[in-house]
Amino acid sequence: MGTLQSSAGHPLYTELSEKTGFSAEQIAVLHKRFKQLSHNEDILRRQHFDEIPDLSCNPIRSQITEAFFDKRNFSRSNEGKVNEIGFEEFLLVMSHFRPPSQSMTQEQRENVRREKLRFLFNMHDTDNDGTITLEEYRHVVEELLSRSGALEKETAKSIADAAMLEVASISVGHMEPDEFYEGITFEHFLKLLDGFEIESKMSIRFLNVDATTLCK
Amino acid sequence: MGRGGSVRFWIFGSMLLIGVWGQEPKSERHDEHGGGSNVSGISIVSLEWEYVEPPYLVALWILVCFLCKLVIEANHHVTEFIPESALLICSGFILGGMIWGADKVQTFRLTPYDFFHYFLPPIILDTGYSMPNKLFFTNLGGILIHAIIGTCWNAASLGLSLWGCQIGGAMGDLNVGLLQYLLFGSLIAAVDPVAVLAVFEQVHVNEVLFIMVFGESLLNDGVTVVLFNVFNAFVTLGGPRINAAEIIKGIISFFVVAFGGSLVGFVFGLLFALLSRCTKNIQIIEPGFLFILGYLAYLTAEMLSLSAILSIVFFGVCCQKYINANMDENSVRTMKCAVKVFANGAETMIFVFLGISAIDKSIWVWNTGFVLLTLLFILIYRFMGVFFLTWFMNLTRLVPIDYTDQVIMSYGGLRGAVAYGLAVMLDEAKIEEKKLMVSTTLIVVYFTVILQGVTMKPLVKWLKVKRAASAEKTLIEKVQNRAFEHILVAIEDISGQKGNNYLRNKWFKFEENWMSRILLRPSVRERQDKVFNVFHQLNLKDAMSYVVEGERRGSLEFIRNESAFVDFKKKFGEDMTMSMPDIMADMSDDRSAASSTRKESVPSVSLEVHEQAMRGTRAAEGLDSHHLLQQHLYKGRKQHRHRYSRSHFDINKDENEIQEIFQRTMKSRLESFKSGKMGVAPPKTITKHTRKEQQQKVRTAQTLTQQSVHPLEKDKIPRCLFFPNPTLHGKTLFQDFRCFTRFFRQVYNIQAVKKNLTFHFFWFQLQNKKSKSRLSGDEDFEFSEGDSASGYDTSFPVRGGYRPGAGIENPAFMPDVDLPLQIPPWLEDVDSVAPSQRAQVRLPWTPSNLRRLSPLRISTRSSDSFNLAEAPGDHQDDQLPPPPTPPPHRDGDVV
């Protein structure tokens, strides 16, 4: 606790706190974690993520790791990938998972929801063309399902296909025979996940207390 | 009913309902029965009332209660405003009044023994078995806080306040001590699962709120039992002899009772899961294990004086996943239905008897101060407790529970039969004011169930409480959900936190690696995946839409005769969505189609059957359209067993079938599409018979009959379900087609025999999916021409199976009478296998659809094998045929 109090007044932290919405304590905790991951350097690279043991069995870890190095996730106008991120970027990506606070207005809530979904969308849309194409979607589904080993690639593929057909039918309705479904656009994506309680499904609780010692 | 022999209400002698003729022969009958030697001669008919009395009364009461429910549910306008439970209690009042009027004494009442041994277990078993596990365990922390601390708070505060009020002189001269007040507080503190479920089921609040109230009501049983026992013991001991040791023992006993009870349930659940691995050979009775083992878990816990409710809840919670996977689909469906039958029946009886018990002068002792103060305190302290505890929980909750939800949680603290049962169990020797406590409990129960129950719905509306969100129904949502789980875990890992997701992930791993391995049949394990299930359903749905598409184009117009239309939009659109959201999800393959199908009118017969079959089953496994389709489509491969066999169902199901459908459909269609170029034009062979036959026929009859068979059997289904790949025509095609013809013949046979009922049912399913358009007359004609060339008519089995006059009154069919009754040889002929070109016109979910997912395939229609395979007379383009004018005959009444 001593470290927290001393670091809470850190000017960098207050600035970051305004930017990301994290409290100074949370930032301190995350900073410590950042240092831990980067072996006390100021930048984080992909291989640092690969070193996290708990992450290694996550089927979609590559997508998640990529999300941290995706410019779209920390600055709105840019796109493309970076090879290393600083603490600020790290925090910005993390801030997508902040739970909405209780005092938000409906509009703010809607914005938060949109932000979260945008993050998710970006994760799928690897080539950043504004649509999730079948290939992209398939890729994710395959990774998601192949983990258990019970499903063959072929099946995963057809599940992705089926899902895509479903999406097509939901978002476009009846298609003329010579129409094509290009892929899921962000608008469709919003529509698709309309019934989802994103607030709880894409939020985690960031502790004020340092628990990093428990993790490797 | 499982609790046959249960309701021992006959103890007090006379009985109202059978009294009139039941009482008279009593005396002699008894003699006769006791010693047969006295009988002088053989009596031809004798009345053995004494002999059958107990079970007869039980059965009669069950019937009466069910009829009450029937009457109540007959009018939806009433149940919309007043919850069913309240109405049942009121009907109990009426019944009780009748008995009282006849006997001048209350003969029947709810005894704690019956309640705890026969009524309660099935209800709790149902809740455990159908518990949404994920939701439950996600909110377990909050539930436990409310169940343990909340209940203790309620009990203590109520007891102390009443005691205080008595000292203050608010309720006159009562001989009740502090301990007895606390005892009273403890029995009435607990929220009742039966009452809560009954009310909340009809108010569709959001699931978190529901699980908080409902979970609390289930889990606080441990607390209630302990508090009740401890205070009961204290009352027996008397104030002075209670010391710290006794109190500590009481606290320890809480943990023993609660965790011991859960453990018993857990052990039984695991046992059951293990057992279900090897019940394959006794499939017909395997659903029974659920009830027997569940009941045993309950009784065992009761025997060890542990919490029986907790035991049976955890039994259900822990075994549900494994048994549902291990057991046969039919068994699962049976269990799901049966458990609901028992639970709903027991619930009905409980409420009716709660009402009946009230009409008894001997139990009522009134003390205005006591009753009103109890009501007041219960309400106030409930609100205080919930608000305080939720505030505390919200400090750590990710998504905090807001104030409106808290109000509903507080207001939903309904008391019910458990409290009444406990009150009746009080010992009058030790507690002088037992009667007052019982009547106060009854008042509290009526107040909460009736008054709060009635006002709950308006309150929910007024506060704009978030309603239940629709369950995940689309595949993409399932997939997305899965992605969320992994993302959250990953983020927690990266940010170095050990949160809920971390723990959940660990549990899943453990579960997958150990529990599933031990408890699931190996063959089932891979089918476990939920995503897979949805996929499976989608596939079946696809298959169905093939059929529908066929139907849309022309067959079976005769079924949809206007005279049989019912207001289907209302029935289907509302009822079904309400009761079976899942089914709706199943059926709506895209939303636009769904909305149009719901408006579709359907023959009343089929509706009836349909609804019946659907009610009480869960969608995915329910007897829904998929299942039906499955059953019918695969007839060809099924062997029929003897119907009289007691140990087997009449249909021997091939284990691989499901697997097959599911592996093949999607894949195959993709495959077939890819390899389009290799597609072979279907064999075109014409037997002479056909031609001849056809010419003999009346033109209209011809078209009609064609319509009626055409789309279904031809190759829509075979192609989607049987064909791995259309390029493999030849032999496979032939065999599959044979199966198919057989199947179709069967369908038509059934139709003939059963007056179309089955058949309609079948078709009805298909129609659900149907897009609105009617088939076209002109198209038909176009067809009959094209088809006669391809030998189309030859192979259609309807005529073979159709028996004139057996059930079809449609005049359109009359011309068929002159057709041969036996299956013409050419039906079995290889040549007849030629799939109609016509049928290939456009399949609803064919590769041609997939092709639209553009980047994957650069679409040109020419690459579609189906289109290629279209041989000479390809009159089709991708356009759907124009909506047709219905053929002239179709107004004949079929049903």
Side-chain angles (χ1 to χ4, degrees), chain B residues 453-513:
Chain B
V454 170
T455 47
M456 182 67 86
K457 218 173 196 173
L459 189 68
V460 165
K461 268 191 198 137
W462 183 63
L463 288 176
K464 298 199 182 67
V465 173
K466 225 186 326 168
R467 298 302 187 94
S470 54
E472 338 168 319
K473 40 192 161 189
T474 56
L475 193 55
I476 188 164
E477 283 180 3
K478 289 261 185 210
V479 171
Q480 215 55 63
N481 244 354
R482 185 65 63 88
F484 280 134
E485 281 168 18
H486 290 300
I487 293 172
L488 289 189
V489 175
I491 295 295
E492 281 196 350
D493 288 342
I494 293 171
S495 67
Q497 325 239 0
K498 304 267 176 208
N500 294 336
N501 295 300
Y502 175 81
L503 291 178
R504 192 187 302 151
N505 195 36
K506 281 278 176 272
W507 163 252
F508 277 146
K509 286 235 170 67
F510 170 75
E511 211 262 291
E512 199 170 293
N513 291 339

Side-chain angles (χ1 to χ4, degrees), chain A residues 184-202:
Chain A
I184 312 171
T185 63
F186 185 59
E187 294 310 314
H188 288 162
F189 197 67
L190 282 180
K191 203 161 117 196
L192 284 173
L193 300 180
D194 210 20
F196 257 51
E197 236 192 273
I198 285 299
E199 290 84 358
S200 60
K201 288 205 166 100
M202 240 182 92

Side-chain angles (χ1 to χ4, degrees), chain B residues 562-742:
Chain B
E562 271 88 356
S563 59
F565 283 174
V566 290
D567 186 4
F568 188 60
K569 180 189 169 194
K570 188 165 169 270
K571 285 227 143 205
F572 192 69
E574 290 170 17
D575 282 5
M576 299 305 245
T577 26
M578 286 289 273
S579 57
M580 315 252 91
D582 288 346
I583 288 188
M584 290 311 296
D586 279 352
M587 289 178 166
S588 54
D589 105 72
D590 54 347
R591 298 208 171 133
S592 56
S595 56
S596 68
T597 49
R598 269 177 234 167
K599 287 168 200 144
E600 194 78 31
S601 23
V602 146
S604 51
V605 180
S606 45
L607 185 72
E608 206 94 37
V609 178
H610 184 73
E611 271 199 329
Q612 240 174 33
M614 297 243 173
R615 189 133 300 171
T617 60
R618 244 209 56 219
E621 289 85 359
L623 179 56
D624 58 356
S625 25
H626 303 150
H627 174 69
L628 205 95
L629 192 74
Q630 219 174 307
Q631 289 239 318
H632 285 273
L633 287 183
Y634 272 85
K635 275 267 170 64
R637 293 200 179 175
K638 281 172 187 160
Q639 265 113 58
H640 283 262
R641 296 217 192 220
H642 301 294
R643 262 163 217 279
Y644 50 74
S645 165
R646 198 176 296 148
S647 50
H648 294 283
F649 294 115
D650 51 346
I651 288 166
N652 172 25
K653 210 171 182 191
D654 184 0
E655 277 254 310
N656 297 325
E657 273 179 19
I658 298 175
Q659 208 59 23
E660 188 179 317
I661 301 183
F662 152 108
Q663 302 263 344
R664 282 189 183 181
T665 32
M666 226 354 145
K667 193 160 93 184
S668 71
R669 275 181 281 143
L670 285 171
E671 286 300 317
S672 66
F673 158 72
K674 276 186 202 154
S675 52
K677 299 270 182 210
M678 286 147 64
V680 185
K684 284 161 271 163
T685 341
I686 313 147
T687 43
K688 281 172 190 163
H689 294 285
T690 357
R691 261 239 141 79
K692 228 166 149 190
E693 283 268 329
Q694 210 164 354
Q695 251 121 55
Q696 288 165 355
K697 264 178 281 169
V698 193
R699 178 75 175 178
T700 47
Q702 186 187 357
T703 35
L704 250 182
T705 36
Q706 264 178 17
Q707 276 178 352
S708 61
V709 197
H710 169 250
L712 221 208
E713 86 292 14
K714 269 307 165 159
D715 41 358
K716 310 248 160 173
I717 292 170
R719 175 152 294 167
C720 68
L721 290 181
F722 290 108
F723 264 56
N725 188 331
T727 53
L728 298 179
H729 276 191
K731 192 137 193 179
T732 333
L733 169 58
F734 167 54
Q735 281 168 349
D736 290 340
F737 195 72
R738 287 273 288 270
C739 290
F740 207 69
T741 355
R742 224 175 308 151

Side-chain angles (χ1 to χ4, degrees), chain A residues 33 161 166 175 180-181 207, chain B residues 475 493-494 670 852 859:
Chain A
R33 176 66 175 169
D161 290 343
E166 188 186 74
M175 277 188 292
F180 303 111
Y181 192 62
L207 301 173
Chain B
L475 193 55
D493 288 342
I494 293 171
L670 285 171
R852 297 183 195 167
S859 85

Side-chain angles (χ1 to χ4, degrees), chain B residues 760-802:
Chain B
H760 282 201
F761 183 13
F762 176 44
W763 273 108
F764 165 67
Q765 308 286 342
L766 304 178
Q767 278 174 333
N768 284 341
K769 300 279 288 93
K770 214 174 71 78
S771 59
K772 258 202 152 165
S773 50
R774 289 291 155 92
L775 47 144
S776 66
D778 10 18
E779 197 216 15
D780 252 292
F781 281 90
E782 171 191 314
F783 249 155
S784 47
E785 264 148 33
D787 285 341
S788 54
S790 65
Y792 177 74
D793 271 344
T794 35
S795 54
F796 86 72
V798 180
R799 299 191 191 139
Y802 175 65

